Amino acid sequence: MDAAKEEIDLFLKKCDELMQCKFILADTKIGEVLKAIATSDLLYAFFRDLTKDFDYAAAKRKYMLPAADGARNVGKLRFPEDPAERLAFVFCLLVDFDTGRLDLDAFLQQYFYEDGSVYGSFYAFTNQVVKPFKSAVRMLFRDQRLSDAVEKHRARADLARLVADEREGVFKSDLSDRKKVDALMILNALAACAERGSGGMIAGLTVGYKYFAASVGRRSEGLDELYKRFASPEEII
């Protein structure tokens, strides 16, 4: 819990530094925000799942509106109404700035043209994009929600560890090749569930593997822990 809180606090600090920095340091500070996400198991998993099925190309076409006919080259940036999509959209924008796929200076002049000054444009960008992004993550992971998120992350990590240990044990066992294949089919499905989280599926696969292992006479301490922890659909994951 303490480690997860420190990770969230570091992310929030890096967002603050981005909002308070001079434009000349913006690229560096954006990189630091993304690094805070990448080095946090909790935030990395959260944004990975959030963007997995997010159609960023379609979102850019929908929300990055071109300049109106006859207007100065100033477009309009909109945001998804759905909070999860908005987080995914802003995260992908930051990644584009960090990788150079989008030029921040040109982006500011097109979508955040204020008085013609870079300072005014950058201030508007941080106030309308970075500040709500930071606030949404802070609200999402504070207090009990943070505790639940940490517990889910730990449960997934424990499941992945137990499944990996069991796969290795199956490979080294004297089971027939046919039975090894059957065992690995179930274990691979469990590993996939550990990636995305699905309590009911995990419980069903765990119970199924329990009966399979019993039928072939396979036992281990790791299996006992697997059954104890994950044979119930109520396990937080």
Side-chain angles (χ1 to χ4, degrees):
M1 179 67 175
D2 290 340
K5 184 179 184 304
E6 289 177 4
E7 293 171 358
I8 300 299
D9 287 345
L10 177 61
F11 165 80
L12 298 176
K13 176 184 175 184
K14 293 303 178 182
C15 286
D16 285 338
E17 290 178 1
L18 172 58
M19 289 187 286
Q20 296 163 7
C21 78
K22 296 181 187 260
F23 172 71
I24 194 171
L25 297 175
D27 288 340
T28 299
K29 294 303 180 182
I30 287 173
E32 291 179 2
V33 170
L34 294 174
K35 183 178 179 181
I37 293 172
T39 55
S40 164
D41 290 342
L42 186 63
L43 289 174
Y44 178 82
F46 172 72
F47 280 103
R48 179 198 61 202
D49 294 345
L50 197 67
T51 57
K52 182 170 60 177
D53 298 318
F54 179 64
D55 191 340
Y56 179 47
K60 285 196 291 185
R61 292 192 296 270
K62 183 176 181 180
Y63 300 113
M64 295 171 64
L65 306 179
D69 292 341
R72 187 185 181 282
N73 187 30
V74 177
K76 186 169 182 61
L77 182 68
R78 298 184 185 276
F79 297 97
E81 292 185 6
D82 179 76
E85 287 189 12
R86 180 169 182 143
L87 278 172
F89 181 57
V90 173
F91 173 77
C92 290
L93 277 179
L94 295 178
V95 171
D96 269 0
F97 297 138
D98 187 52
T99 59
R101 284 191 292 265
L102 278 178
D103 179 78
L104 181 59
D105 189 11
F107 180 87
L108 294 179
Q109 290 301 308
Q110 183 170 5
Y111 295 105
F112 290 93
Y113 185 84
E114 295 292 310
D115 55 3
S117 72
V118 172
Y119 171 81
S121 297
F122 184 58
Y123 175 80
F125 166 76
T126 58
N127 196 49
Q128 297 176 40
V129 178
V130 180
K131 185 176 181 180
F133 181 70
K134 170 202 166 183
S135 298
V137 173
R138 182 184 60 205
M139 291 291 291
L140 187 63
F141 286 102
R142 73 178 183 181
D143 303 329
Q144 187 59 42
R145 292 186 181 185
L146 174 59
S147 178
D148 290 346
V150 170
E151 288 306 314
K152 287 183 180 181
H153 171 72
R154 287 176 179 167
R156 291 186 189 186
D158 287 346
L159 177 59
R161 171 181 57 81
L162 291 169
V163 170
D165 289 347
E166 177 60 13
R167 281 195 293 203
E168 183 177 357
V170 167
F171 275 122
K172 294 178 179 178
S173 73
D174 57 1
L175 291 175
S176 68
D177 288 345
R178 178 66 261 175
K179 289 178 180 177
K180 286 183 179 180
V181 169
D182 290 343
L184 293 173
M185 286 177 63
I186 303 174
L187 292 171
N188 288 341
L190 266 174
C193 286
E195 280 290 317
R196 59 180 180 268
S198 178
M201 287 291 293
I202 290 169
L205 289 167
T206 300
V207 170
Y209 192 79
K210 179 179 181 179
Y211 284 103
F212 168 82
S215 73
V216 298
R218 176 156 178 76
R219 298 187 63 185
S220 73
E221 290 183 8
L223 285 181
D224 290 341
E225 183 180 352
L226 179 69
Y227 303 150
K228 183 178 179 181
R229 286 283 309 279
F230 299 103
S232 169
E234 289 144 10
E235 168 69 26
I236 295 177
I237 192 166

